[in-house]
Amino acid sequence: MQKRTTKSDQDLKSDDLQKHTVDNEGKFMTTNQGLRINDDQNSLTAGDRGPTLLEDFHLREKITHFDHERIPERIVHARGSGAHGYFELTESLTEYTKAKFLQTPGTRTPVFARFSTVAGSRGSTDLARDVRGFAVKFYTQEGNYDLVGNNMPIFFIQDALKFPDLIHAVKPEPNNEMPQAASAHDTFWDFVSLTPETMHNVMWLMSDRAIPRSLRMMEGFGIHTYRFVNSNNKSVFVRFHWKPVLGVHSVVWDEAQKISGNDPDFHRRDLYEAIDNGHPAQWDFGVQIVEEKDEHKFKFDLLDPTKLIPEELVPVKIVGRMTLNRNPDNFFAETEQVAFHPGHVVSGIDFSNDPLLQGRLFSYTDTQLIRLGGPNFHEIPINRPIAPVHNNQRDGYMRQTINPGQSSYHPNSTGDGHPHQAKAADGGFVSYHERIDAHKIRSRSKSFMDHFSQPAMFYHSQSEAEKNHIVDAFRFELGKVKQEAIRQRMVSLLTKIDKSLAERVAAGLGLKIQKPDAITNHSYPADADPKSYQSIEADPDIPKSEALSMENTVKDTIQSRQIAILAADGVDDNSLDTMQAALQKEGAMTKIVSVRLGNIKTAAGKLVKIDDSLLTAASVLFDAVYVPSGEKSVSALSAHPKTAGFVADAYKHCKAIAASGEGKNLLMVVDELADQGKAQKADQGILIDKSPKDFVKAIAQHRFWIREKKKEKE
Ligand code: HEM
């Protein structure tokens, strides 16, 4: 049996961070020089009403520090939330890689993960329609390994040279800095409509994947093909996957917009509160392995980051699990100052020649030099490896390490030759000896030119509801585009993916589909023959892939789901207590929402604390709604102007709704439910006088899209 390691690696990073955590309890307030402060209320002035004196070093130190508190936000992925935890290997990868943390099942490696939106500023809403960053720093015994991915398995562009163009197009427009955290504007769609390689990621962006229910309920992907290298220097290609244990779930667009108003920190709060309430966020870690000999066996190019490897072709092998179970102590010190980099690898993990990845390998350190103010940001506690660091790098802004001795070069005899290089057998990193024999060129490989087959595969793999949401998203986004020529170009491009999709989007925009330009790809060099950059037509026989639809995800748990219980004075004790206990037993978080704050007096005279009033809560912040019995309670709620909207939104957003006894009267505010009178609609997630068990099952379904189907037909 293989040896199981203890928790000590994880503890090591925690200890490391603890060393830098200041405990103020029982301590005197001091200046940054350690001088005890006697008066932190008044500046030093000449007399009662006189001028402030320049001599006041405490005032100057405090204000100066404050004046310099802000650092530049990330140029992309500025808005993010992070958490600590650990990665535990469940299956050995020795056959493929020599990376030490991937050898022995049971090995735990401390991690810090940061999830982000891409386009918005640091203070923008969590629920923007956007790709989500999914970055994980593994503090391994052999140094830090960063897996810097997204929640979508592909990217917009194929070459890093186009990244500044893509980001300029999606960020607020330069003349008026609008709109914030939104792709729904002319410049984004202008760029997209002229660059067909973006279409695959655009399809994902228009799907509900771009508006996750929770950061804990989204997938993560390394996107690029990387290499594993084993101890015999044999290499395989690998793509990385994170699969959320709670399943992949999203909200709908109307809900996302309302959440942005009600709680712009919705995802940050969800992650923080779940961990705080003892619900760690968990993902299974999977790999898709492709032998070197199979590099060219697919219809797409493994080096093309706009293509995924369908799981039907190469299954995802689950080899570990990540658990995030500790919130940062200080947002700035940890979440803001963390610096990820796809080039932070360990022996046994190497790069492919994906041209997007190759450009990224330059970009991250470069940007962090300015964002974090100099070359020593690896010394910030959150970025420090647990593996010891020894080299001859010296000095620079904010150097923390005190390197003793005379020697800061290699080779040296003044320091007895230390630090010395490590042999491969001792963990020294050796780049994979890939043979390269080629001309130096600027060109796009012909094997990258199929821009439509996989977007078509994605679209065809979606459920009816998911397809409808994609159509609606295109209509919304292009509806915000002012220039008709851009809209027109976009619907023409969509015909290359799916004619009915293009027709439905065009109908919503009041457009007629025109023949696409002969050359739809405007992304070609000045001297190139444009035809050689023309997209290949979509493969009409491309099969569907079940893994691409969220309909096929995990739907057997209500762990950490938020359930609103609408109740007021006079609520029936039994129906409140039974349901609350049943939901909490399944790991859900219940909140009592009422007409005001304070306590409710139940029918039996018990006092129950109210969590939220209808003024501060909205049903978009919950996964399901329950209305317990009690005539007095229901009539007080019915009289409140916000109750009807609360229930109507929960219905409109297809959430599970349950009511007991008189509670059902509150549901009659929804026209569709009033029409049906007392009708049970269990198949639609409307449960009247049903058991808590049925409600639990309904919430686990996440949504009842069948309600939308009815609307769509109308
Ligand atoms: C597959 C494509 C890409 C993925 C999955 C990706 C992912 C990410 C993620 C997750 C972050 C946020 C890291 C954090 O939480 O701190 C990030 C930041 C960043 N990315 Fe990328 N990115 C991609 C492509 C690129 C390219 C092509 C470039 C440039 C050539 C680039 C440049 C940057 C920069 C400059 C940052 C800010 C880093 C910082 O300030 O610390 N990215 N990226």
Side-chain angles (χ1 to χ4, degrees):
M1 211 176 112
Q2 280 169 309
K3 184 176 147 274
R4 295 180 79 89
T5 53
T6 63
K7 273 189 186 177
S8 60
D9 287 348
Q10 190 202 354
D11 295 343
L12 216 57
K13 185 65 195 172
S14 286
D15 291 351
D16 190 49
L17 283 165
Q18 287 305 321
K19 273 187 235 148
H20 297 266
T21 308
V22 177
D23 178 7
N24 284 328
E25 207 178 316
K27 307 289 184 337
F28 287 114
M29 182 185 282
T30 72
T31 65
N32 286 334
Q33 303 307 316
L35 176 70
R36 288 183 185 173
I37 294 167
N38 169 258
D39 183 347
D40 192 41
Q41 318 305 323
N42 303 295
S43 308
L44 187 68
T45 56
D48 250 0
R49 302 176 56 249
T52 305
L53 303 177
L54 189 60
E55 179 191 322
D56 189 349
F57 57 85
H58 171 47
L59 170 77
R60 278 186 289 116
E61 183 198 77
K62 186 173 172 182
I63 299 281
T64 304
H65 196 279
F66 171 75
D67 289 347
H68 296 260
E69 269 175 13
R70 291 290 165 270
I71 61 169
E73 64 176 30
R74 289 168 177 78
I75 182 83
V76 282
H77 296 262
R79 169 87 187 164
S81 308
H84 294 273
Y86 61 89
F87 169 74
E88 180 163 346
L89 191 73
T90 51
E91 201 162 311
S92 172
L93 285 170
T94 307
E95 182 186 349
Y96 304 114
T97 173
K98 58 187 168 195
K100 279 224 171 76
F101 78 108
L102 298 177
Q103 302 301 306
T104 314
T107 302
R108 282 188 176 188
T109 304
V111 298
F112 183 78
R114 182 176 180 272
F115 309 102
S116 46
T117 51
V118 179
S121 293
R122 222 186 110 174
S124 57
T125 174
D126 279 343
L127 262 291
R129 176 177 293 285
D130 202 350
V131 176
R132 298 297 183 289
F134 194 123
V136 181
K137 191 180 281 295
F138 297 75
Y139 302 92
T140 88
Q141 302 158 347
E142 299 181 291
N144 287 352
Y145 168 54
D146 293 353
L147 182 50
V148 196
N150 283 341
N151 75 329
M152 299 178 187
I154 35 78
F155 200 64
F156 291 97
I157 46 166
Q158 296 170 324
D159 191 312
L161 190 60
K162 299 308 294 170
F163 192 70
D165 298 288
L166 168 73
I167 299 304
H168 285 176
V170 72
K171 283 269 184 183
E173 299 190 3
N175 51 336
N176 56 21
E177 186 70 1
M178 290 193 280
Q180 179 57 249
S183 50
H185 58 111
D186 285 43
T187 55
F188 177 72
W189 289 100
D190 189 29
F191 177 77
V192 162
S193 68
L194 297 170
T195 316
E197 73 199 53
T198 58
M199 288 313 294
H200 193 188
N201 208 152
V202 163
M203 291 301 292
W204 283 74
L205 184 67
M206 292 303 104
S207 79
D208 292 345
R209 299 266 187 161
I211 39 174
R213 156 63 183 85
S214 160
L215 301 171
R216 303 173 295 119
M217 297 173 201
M218 60 185 200
E219 282 179 293
F221 303 89
I223 301 186
H224 311 283
T225 298
Y226 287 88
R227 278 182 181 279
F228 270 156
V229 185
N230 71 13
S231 53
N232 298 322
N233 283 327
K234 182 178 175 299
S235 173
V236 290
F237 294 108
V238 57
R239 288 212 175 181
F240 296 111
H241 294 249
W242 294 108
K243 292 192 180 278
V245 171
L246 297 179
V248 194
H249 301 287
S250 289
V251 300
V252 289
W253 183 229
D254 179 66
E255 201 183 351
Q257 290 175 288
K258 288 175 177 161
I259 293 174
S260 290
N262 275 288
D263 185 6
D265 304 308
F266 184 73
H267 282 154
R268 180 174 291 177
R269 192 183 311 284
D270 170 272
L271 179 67
Y272 194 91
E273 285 185 354
I275 292 176
D276 227 28
N277 287 318
H279 296 292
Q282 291 189 308
W283 287 262
D284 285 329
F285 180 63
V287 289
Q288 282 178 302
I289 304 274
V290 178
E291 298 286 341
E292 269 200 315
K293 67 174 170 44
D294 293 334
E295 180 177 359
H296 301 293
K297 90 168 188 192
F298 305 103
K299 285 189 175 168
F300 52 89
D301 194 325
L302 280 183
L303 301 187
D304 176 355
T306 67
K307 306 296 184 297
L308 55 86
I309 310 179
E311 292 188 24
E312 289 73 13
L313 295 185
V314 181
V316 176
K317 184 180 160 75
I318 301 297
V319 296
R321 180 170 278 196
M322 174 167 75
T323 300
L324 300 180
N325 57 2
R326 185 162 70 83
N327 281 314
D329 289 312
N330 183 284
F331 183 90
F332 179 84
E334 301 174 71
T335 311
E336 197 59 18
Q337 292 200 113
V338 66
F340 296 95
H341 182 2
H344 292 165
V345 289
V346 291
S347 290
I349 300 179
D350 212 322
F351 315 110
S352 72
N353 298 325
D354 172 342
L356 191 74
L357 173 60
Q358 293 285 323
R360 291 181 76 195
L361 295 179
F362 162 72
S363 181
Y364 288 71
T365 309
D366 179 49
T367 197
Q368 284 149 6
L369 275 170
I370 189 150
R371 180 166 76 81
L372 297 164
N376 287 316
F377 56 85
H378 60 283
E379 295 184 328
I380 296 171
I382 193 69
N383 294 323
R384 281 174 37 173
I386 57 171
V389 174
H390 298 282
N391 58 42
N392 293 309
Q393 294 171 31
R394 292 289 186 274
D395 309 345
Y397 285 112
M398 310 297 165
R399 183 70 172 178
Q400 311 287 306
T401 309
I402 300 171
N403 299 99
Q406 187 181 8
S407 162
S408 57
Y409 53 90
H410 186 272
N412 69 65
S413 67
T414 52
D416 286 339
H418 301 304
H420 51 277
Q421 301 161 103
K423 291 188 170 157
D426 291 328
F429 184 85
V430 182
S431 291
Y432 179 63
H433 284 211
E434 182 180 356
R435 184 178 161 75
I436 295 179
D437 179 11
H439 293 283
K440 201 191 285 181
I441 52 164
R442 285 183 185 275
S443 174
R444 196 69 58 94
S445 172
K446 289 261 174 308
S447 56
F448 280 31
M449 289 303 167
D450 178 356
H451 302 132
F452 303 122
S453 296
Q454 288 210 350
M457 172 179 72
F458 177 74
Y459 187 64
H460 295 147
S461 304
Q462 304 300 297
S463 67
E464 276 315 298
E466 286 171 322
K467 281 185 182 158
N468 292 339
H469 295 174
I470 291 173
V471 170
D472 284 348
F474 271 114
R475 286 175 178 171
F476 178 93
E477 294 266 318
L478 295 172
K480 293 270 186 183
V481 167
K482 300 278 177 294
Q483 295 181 40
E484 192 168 318
I486 298 175
R487 292 183 189 163
Q488 194 71 59
R489 255 196 326 265
M490 269 316 302
V491 290
S492 297
L493 257 185
L494 291 181
T495 61
K496 302 273 185 187
I497 295 170
D498 184 276
K499 287 224 162 48
S500 70
L501 165 69
E503 277 160 12
R504 290 179 67 189
V505 173
L509 296 170
L511 291 177
K512 286 219 156 45
I513 295 174
Q514 293 171 2
K515 207 170 163 300
D517 297 354
I519 310 293
T520 49
N521 191 350
H522 294 252
S523 202
Y524 55 85
D527 279 334
D529 173 3
K531 284 204 184 82
S532 66
Y533 275 74
Q534 205 166 329
S535 313
I536 295 167
E537 293 290 325
D539 171 3
D541 300 322
I542 190 146
K544 294 181 187 179
S545 170
E546 276 205 355
L548 302 182
S549 167
M550 289 189 284
E551 275 307 292
N552 304 319
T553 192
V554 176
K555 287 184 181 172
D556 61 1
T557 172
I558 65 164
Q559 272 279 343
S560 75
R561 293 296 189 133
Q562 298 274 2
I563 320 296
I565 300 181
L566 291 179
D569 285 343
V571 65
D572 173 67
D573 292 73
N574 185 38
S575 68
L576 174 67
D577 295 346
T578 317
M579 185 62 89
Q580 206 172 13
L583 294 172
Q584 287 173 1
K585 188 166 161 255
E586 295 296 325
M589 301 194 257
T590 57
K591 278 194 177 153
I592 306 275
V593 179
S594 193
V595 293
R596 52 162 170 77
L597 283 179
N599 290 313
I600 289 171
K601 199 168 186 186
T602 66
K606 200 170 68 180
L607 289 184
V608 177
K609 189 176 165 290
I610 300 167
D611 296 297
D612 257 315
S613 83
L614 281 159
L615 212 58
T616 54
S619 76
V620 291
L621 306 177
F622 296 91
D623 293 290
V625 179
Y626 172 59
V627 193
S629 185
E631 203 177 333
K632 201 174 146 208
S633 163
V634 170
S635 53
L637 287 162
S638 303
H640 194 285
K642 281 198 75 188
T643 315
F646 195 100
V647 178
D649 262 358
Y651 181 83
K652 182 172 161 193
H653 301 142
C654 306
K655 294 173 182 174
I657 302 174
S660 306
E662 289 93 2
K664 70 172 171 290
N665 298 335
L666 208 64
L667 308 192
M668 299 305 150
V669 294
V670 178
D671 288 347
E672 287 87 341
L673 295 177
D675 279 356
Q676 304 287 322
K678 295 189 203 97
Q680 292 278 354
K681 292 195 169 192
D683 65 328
Q684 292 192 24
I686 306 295
L687 304 165
I688 294 171
D689 290 328
K690 290 274 188 181
S691 74
K693 215 167 122 200
D694 289 332
F695 191 36
V696 167
K697 221 163 113 191
I699 301 167
Q701 290 305 301
H702 184 62
R703 294 301 163 90
F704 291 83
W705 302 124
I706 187 171
R707 290 186 213 153
E708 279 190 346
K709 225 175 194 174
K710 190 168 159 283
K711 244 180 6 194
E712 181 73 17
K713 279 188 196 137
E714 276 162 4

